[in-house]
Amino acid sequence: MDTMLINSAHSSYLGDESGLRGEAESIVFPESAGELAKVFKDAITNGVPLTIQGSRTGLCGGSVPRGGLVVNLEKLRGALEIFQQGGRFYMRVGAGAQLSEIEKLAASRGLFFPPDPTEKSAAVGGVFATGGGGPGSLRYGESSRYVAALKWVLPTGDIWKIERGSCIFSGGRCTMPDGRELRVPQLSAPSICAHGIPREGEDLIDFLAGSEGRLGAAAEFTLTLLPLPEEIWGVVYFFQSGDIARKFLEALAQWNGKNPDVLRCAECFDGGALRLMTREKEKNALLKPLPDFPENAIFAVYTELECHDAKTLDAALMEQLDLFILAGGREEDTWAEGGLSGLKRFRDMRHAVPEIVGTASGYTEPELCRERIETDFSGPAEKLWDYVQMYESDAKSHGIECAVYGHALQNRLHAALLYRSPKELDVSRNLIEKWSEKVIADKGLLVSENGAGRIKSGLLERFMPPEEKRVREEIETWFRTVR
Amino acid sequence: MKILVCFKAVPNWEKILDADWEDFSPSSDLRYAGVSFNCFDESALELALRLKAQDKERAGESFVAAVTVGKTLSAHLAESLYAAGFDEVTLMSDSGAEFDPRRVAARLWAYAREREFDLVLTGIRAGMADSALVPGMLAQKLGIQHIQDVQEISLTPAGVLAVQLDEDGLWQREYSLPALVSVGNSPAVLRAVNLRTRMSVKGKAPTVIEEDIPSNAQEPQLSRVKIARNAVMLEAAGITELAQGLLRELSEDRDEAPSSAGDGITLPEDIYTVCCDDKSSIERLSVVLDAVTPDLVIIDDTSRGRDLALAISQRSGAALQSGAKILSVEKGGVRISKRVCASNLEWTRVLPFPAVLTVYGSLPEGAITIAEQRSAASLANRTHIPEISLSPISGSALSETLLAPPTENSLSNKDCVVVCGAGMGSRENCEKARTLAEKLGAGFGLTRSAALCGWGGADEIVGMSGSRIAPKTALVFGASGAGAFLAGIEDVGKICAVNTDPKALIFRSADAGAVADAPSLVEAMLELL
């Protein structure tokens, strides 16, 4: 394992999907937990700042270095082996293994990794570090829930082996694998981030998820896999009016509450997202296999339903179609397909939007920086439609193109602002701040499944209560304290 | 009107594990990878449905059927076809057809012959063997004309109007029916169907016709495509230096040039080989071939070349292989290899004489080229004879209109070719790369992905669905390195690749590489030039 000086062959390691670009002095590619531990230990001893990277697919700039050493884990792939224990299936992988590799291997054994994050070239370590979810999180929860065990390398270079269930926070305390106890005082206000402040009963593994390198990094995972469902269908619903879309989503949320084991995902796309996809369709390989959207469609919802029983699935599909028609939808404004291969182009549609948002902005700053200005907030689920309207109307009133998409029933939306000038960039940044205030007022989350990275650091600085900042610093100091 | 679409469902190749590639056989259980319609067949399926709708508008009553030959047909795919509007979906069950295009054509013919279809549509190539021979074979057996490389098609009172791409450009030609149309790089995608319609066909199974001809197919000898190159990655302090480094690489020869189709092959004295270009006419060839009765006939691997090869093979009973690379010429036959399974594997076998091959690249030493007015005696002397182009195989178009001339910057006869992939991101960036090509005196090409994004012409495609090139050097920008593309550049002398992803497959098949933003590097190279 050699540490190399950064040169132009490493230019791609200075940026990620956020569009930000940084600088660093050197780069290293550890291939084992031991090598990673050595890197961390040397860095903390010598005061070298580190930026830990997976596949650099993050949207918030967490992989973008600001000097110091880049620690890239792409070679830390591990054995990628599936084993069975106690009637359940697991996969042991290194942090640098990409989701595509994991899913390919799992599929060969009739299994899958439930949360199903959209970006398949993401490294599993990066997904964990950002607290990643995915469309499947509606049914299956966050990715960390499917980490049965991990090998964690602390900033000090110590290595912990953590099994789920072995270290639980109770009363703000948790005994760590090395026997030390971490005590975290209770905050007087709920956190504005999904991760970083332990909840009562939270597993240490889930606590470490979303820590974005501040508390160390995972070198190896034992992932829980589930059997592929017997039946899976995808349906895209297109809406001619916002009112119909709102009614359908409210009805779908109620239906999902009563039938929690069928609806795998519900992803939405507003008119801006549909227009963007239409405009970019001819240039984007993910969108080309799609037919043209129905005329006058101003909103779309993509749902996936899965079941081990065909009759239950058939009934669910018909019930949802009824909900759609009752809300005012037209049968001809639906697309449906069964089987994983058939769903591919629908899933690609979901994946295409964040991809084209990254390149669709018409303004490029110097040094090819094209910063993504995009919310990734989590608002109250019952206020989903308020948020859609807020994003759309605010952007429109400032003349800025906006595309809204994301996890509909969880109100975890991306509102991507496609600025085209320095002035629009400034306005866009102001809109993000304004919307942040709304999220805080609604007791939502500013940081959920993509981490804070560099892009949200300013927001956290502004909106995070001093008490929470202090507690986070204390936690970070605890993890960085050499034993 | 009765329309038939012959289609193939293929595994999602990118989802197959490395271990399964190493042990691959046509009978491997690859269900975990899922299946999809072959991309050309998918276009054919959609075009057939559009014709059905068009016929309905003019108060016609079209019957549209879809048929496939293979071991199984996924229930979901069959249901999708019914839901989309196909009246009949049939599986000609067959376990021995994957590497036997004649068998596939025979089974399709068995289905089609009594049903008197007015129009048969197929993709230009499909299936594991990727021979591109089945459409021509089927057209021959049905005794109907073969209309090739079609991108769009519509009905006319006299028959059909087809938009076709050939080396003379993009044409709109009208043809009478019946006909077989093979669909090439078409933008048509299979329509989506609404939920109720899709649900209504749930459980509707295809008609299965069991195989009635015993299969005596031998297990093909398959091996993973050997990667002969592993890019030496360029390092430089800045983008300008990187651009300089790339230009330097372009001017230096590769240490060891890869072999072309016939490179380094010397024909034994007693093996009589005749080579002809695809512009030869079958009638004139017949005269010559009757006179000299060659052991081996070699033809360019193009659409016309394959049709010519089919005609010669049918006429003489010679064994036939398309897209072949000659490994050696032996006593009783010729050892060849061919890329199959989306260019992930190589199929090696000995084709017994007499044989007809379509190949690409240079010809073997000692081969004789066909000329129009050379006598059989002079041919027998085996002196090298300069080629004279003969009139092309005449089509049977009722009328034709040139829509667009062929792209000026040819891919052939260039020492260097610049190729752009989807990673270039935009048409504008590709145009800059085209300017770079002009400044370098190089040809210009695109991957299929980039071409279907509308960044250039379909005749600029490099890869299995387009041209295979063999210049001294190639500069590949923003291509990931999919197998079908790599097959198009495997005979390039030296490949220099640029991609932002250090793990991109292209670097395993290139001689020199740079991890960089391709459009930026193009601009830097333009500034230097």
Side-chain angles (χ1 to χ4, degrees), chain B residues 423-435:
Chain B
M424 286 297 276
S426 70
R427 189 184 181 94
E428 292 71 29
N429 288 336
C430 287
E431 288 305 308
K432 288 179 187 170
R434 195 188 289 275
T435 305

PDB file of all heavy atoms in Angstrom, chain B residues 423-435:
ATOM      1  N   GLY B 423     -20.105   8.809 -22.474  1.00  0.00           N
ATOM      2  CA  GLY B 423     -19.461   9.626 -21.437  1.00  0.00           C
ATOM      3  C   GLY B 423     -19.086  11.019 -21.905  1.00  0.00           C
ATOM      4  O   GLY B 423     -18.760  11.876 -21.081  1.00  0.00           O
ATOM      5  N   MET B 424     -19.165  11.265 -23.190  1.00  0.00           N
ATOM      6  CA  MET B 424     -18.878  12.615 -23.672  1.00  0.00           C
ATOM      7  C   MET B 424     -19.981  13.583 -23.271  1.00  0.00           C
ATOM      8  O   MET B 424     -19.773  14.788 -23.242  1.00  0.00           O
ATOM      9  CB  MET B 424     -18.705  12.611 -25.199  1.00  0.00           C
ATOM     10  CG  MET B 424     -17.394  12.013 -25.647  1.00  0.00           C
ATOM     11  SD  MET B 424     -15.974  12.959 -25.052  1.00  0.00           S
ATOM     12  CE  MET B 424     -15.874  14.227 -26.312  1.00  0.00           C
ATOM     13  N   GLY B 425     -21.150  13.032 -23.003  1.00  0.00           N
ATOM     14  CA  GLY B 425     -22.181  13.843 -22.367  1.00  0.00           C
ATOM     15  C   GLY B 425     -23.068  14.676 -23.252  1.00  0.00           C
ATOM     16  O   GLY B 425     -24.192  15.003 -22.859  1.00  0.00           O
ATOM     17  N   SER B 426     -22.609  15.063 -24.429  1.00  0.00           N
ATOM     18  CA  SER B 426     -23.458  15.923 -25.254  1.00  0.00           C
ATOM     19  C   SER B 426     -22.998  15.886 -26.703  1.00  0.00           C
ATOM     20  O   SER B 426     -21.860  15.521 -27.006  1.00  0.00           O
ATOM     21  CB  SER B 426     -23.419  17.371 -24.761  1.00  0.00           C
ATOM     22  OG  SER B 426     -22.157  17.949 -25.035  1.00  0.00           O
ATOM     23  N   ARG B 427     -23.895  16.316 -27.554  1.00  0.00           N
ATOM     24  CA  ARG B 427     -23.569  16.407 -28.978  1.00  0.00           C
ATOM     25  C   ARG B 427     -22.457  17.437 -29.183  1.00  0.00           C
ATOM     26  O   ARG B 427     -21.556  17.235 -29.997  1.00  0.00           O
ATOM     27  CB  ARG B 427     -24.826  16.826 -29.750  1.00  0.00           C
ATOM     28  CG  ARG B 427     -24.638  16.736 -31.231  1.00  0.00           C
ATOM     29  CD  ARG B 427     -25.834  17.248 -32.012  1.00  0.00           C
ATOM     30  NE  ARG B 427     -25.562  17.107 -33.414  1.00  0.00           N
ATOM     31  CZ  ARG B 427     -25.921  16.058 -34.161  1.00  0.00           C
ATOM     32  NH1 ARG B 427     -26.609  15.070 -33.639  1.00  0.00           N
ATOM     33  NH2 ARG B 427     -25.593  15.993 -35.438  1.00  0.00           N
ATOM     34  N   GLU B 428     -22.542  18.511 -28.411  1.00  0.00           N
ATOM     35  CA  GLU B 428     -21.548  19.584 -28.563  1.00  0.00           C
ATOM     36  C   GLU B 428     -20.147  19.056 -28.276  1.00  0.00           C
ATOM     37  O   GLU B 428     -19.180  19.365 -28.974  1.00  0.00           O
ATOM     38  CB  GLU B 428     -21.852  20.740 -27.606  1.00  0.00           C
ATOM     39  CG  GLU B 428     -23.126  21.521 -27.909  1.00  0.00           C
ATOM     40  CD  GLU B 428     -24.399  20.749 -27.605  1.00  0.00           C
ATOM     41  OE1 GLU B 428     -24.390  19.887 -26.698  1.00  0.00           O
ATOM     42  OE2 GLU B 428     -25.414  20.990 -28.291  1.00  0.00           O
ATOM     43  N   ASN B 429     -20.035  18.256 -27.222  1.00  0.00           N
ATOM     44  CA  ASN B 429     -18.715  17.700 -26.891  1.00  0.00           C
ATOM     45  C   ASN B 429     -18.237  16.760 -27.986  1.00  0.00           C
ATOM     46  O   ASN B 429     -17.049  16.712 -28.303  1.00  0.00           O
ATOM     47  CB  ASN B 429     -18.769  16.972 -25.547  1.00  0.00           C
ATOM     48  CG  ASN B 429     -18.892  17.934 -24.377  1.00  0.00           C
ATOM     49  OD1 ASN B 429     -18.505  19.094 -24.476  1.00  0.00           O
ATOM     50  ND2 ASN B 429     -19.434  17.464 -23.273  1.00  0.00           N
ATOM     51  N   CYS B 430     -19.169  16.002 -28.564  1.00  0.00           N
ATOM     52  CA  CYS B 430     -18.778  15.098 -29.658  1.00  0.00           C
ATOM     53  C   CYS B 430     -18.342  15.892 -30.885  1.00  0.00           C
ATOM     54  O   CYS B 430     -17.435  15.478 -31.614  1.00  0.00           O
ATOM     55  CB  CYS B 430     -19.936  14.179 -30.024  1.00  0.00           C
ATOM     56  SG  CYS B 430     -20.227  12.899 -28.793  1.00  0.00           S
ATOM     57  N   GLU B 431     -18.957  17.022 -31.110  1.00  0.00           N
ATOM     58  CA  GLU B 431     -18.554  17.842 -32.263  1.00  0.00           C
ATOM     59  C   GLU B 431     -17.128  18.352 -32.070  1.00  0.00           C
ATOM     60  O   GLU B 431     -16.355  18.463 -33.019  1.00  0.00           O
ATOM     61  CB  GLU B 431     -19.517  19.018 -32.448  1.00  0.00           C
ATOM     62  CG  GLU B 431     -20.884  18.605 -32.975  1.00  0.00           C
ATOM     63  CD  GLU B 431     -20.792  17.817 -34.277  1.00  0.00           C
ATOM     64  OE1 GLU B 431     -20.125  18.282 -35.240  1.00  0.00           O
ATOM     65  OE2 GLU B 431     -21.359  16.705 -34.327  1.00  0.00           O
ATOM     66  N   LYS B 432     -16.788  18.662 -30.828  1.00  0.00           N
ATOM     67  CA  LYS B 432     -15.401  19.093 -30.553  1.00  0.00           C
ATOM     68  C   LYS B 432     -14.447  17.941 -30.839  1.00  0.00           C
ATOM     69  O   LYS B 432     -13.358  18.134 -31.383  1.00  0.00           O
ATOM     70  CB  LYS B 432     -15.257  19.547 -29.101  1.00  0.00           C
ATOM     71  CG  LYS B 432     -15.930  20.889 -28.829  1.00  0.00           C
ATOM     72  CD  LYS B 432     -15.786  21.306 -27.370  1.00  0.00           C
ATOM     73  CE  LYS B 432     -16.622  22.561 -27.124  1.00  0.00           C
ATOM     74  NZ  LYS B 432     -16.725  22.892 -25.692  1.00  0.00           N
ATOM     75  N   ALA B 433     -14.859  16.748 -30.457  1.00  0.00           N
ATOM     76  CA  ALA B 433     -14.021  15.578 -30.737  1.00  0.00           C
ATOM     77  C   ALA B 433     -13.924  15.348 -32.242  1.00  0.00           C
ATOM     78  O   ALA B 433     -12.885  14.911 -32.750  1.00  0.00           O
ATOM     79  CB  ALA B 433     -14.593  14.337 -30.042  1.00  0.00           C
ATOM     80  N   ARG B 434     -14.978  15.633 -32.954  1.00  0.00           N
ATOM     81  CA  ARG B 434     -14.957  15.498 -34.416  1.00  0.00           C
ATOM     82  C   ARG B 434     -13.943  16.485 -35.007  1.00  0.00           C
ATOM     83  O   ARG B 434     -13.190  16.157 -35.933  1.00  0.00           O
ATOM     84  CB  ARG B 434     -16.356  15.759 -34.977  1.00  0.00           C
ATOM     85  CG  ARG B 434     -16.553  15.299 -36.409  1.00  0.00           C
ATOM     86  CD  ARG B 434     -17.910  15.790 -36.914  1.00  0.00           C
ATOM     87  NE  ARG B 434     -19.036  15.104 -36.311  1.00  0.00           N
ATOM     88  CZ  ARG B 434     -19.543  13.951 -36.740  1.00  0.00           C
ATOM     89  NH1 ARG B 434     -19.003  13.347 -37.782  1.00  0.00           N
ATOM     90  NH2 ARG B 434     -20.586  13.408 -36.139  1.00  0.00           N
ATOM     91  N   THR B 435     -13.926  17.696 -34.457  1.00  0.00           N
ATOM     92  CA  THR B 435     -12.946  18.699 -34.903  1.00  0.00           C
ATOM     93  C   THR B 435     -11.532  18.202 -34.608  1.00  0.00           C
ATOM     94  O   THR B 435     -10.616  18.368 -35.426  1.00  0.00           O
ATOM     95  CB  THR B 435     -13.186  20.044 -34.190  1.00  0.00           C
ATOM     96  OG1 THR B 435     -14.529  20.445 -34.405  1.00  0.00           O
ATOM     97  CG2 THR B 435     -12.224  21.112 -34.690  1.00  0.00           C
TER      98      THR B 435
END
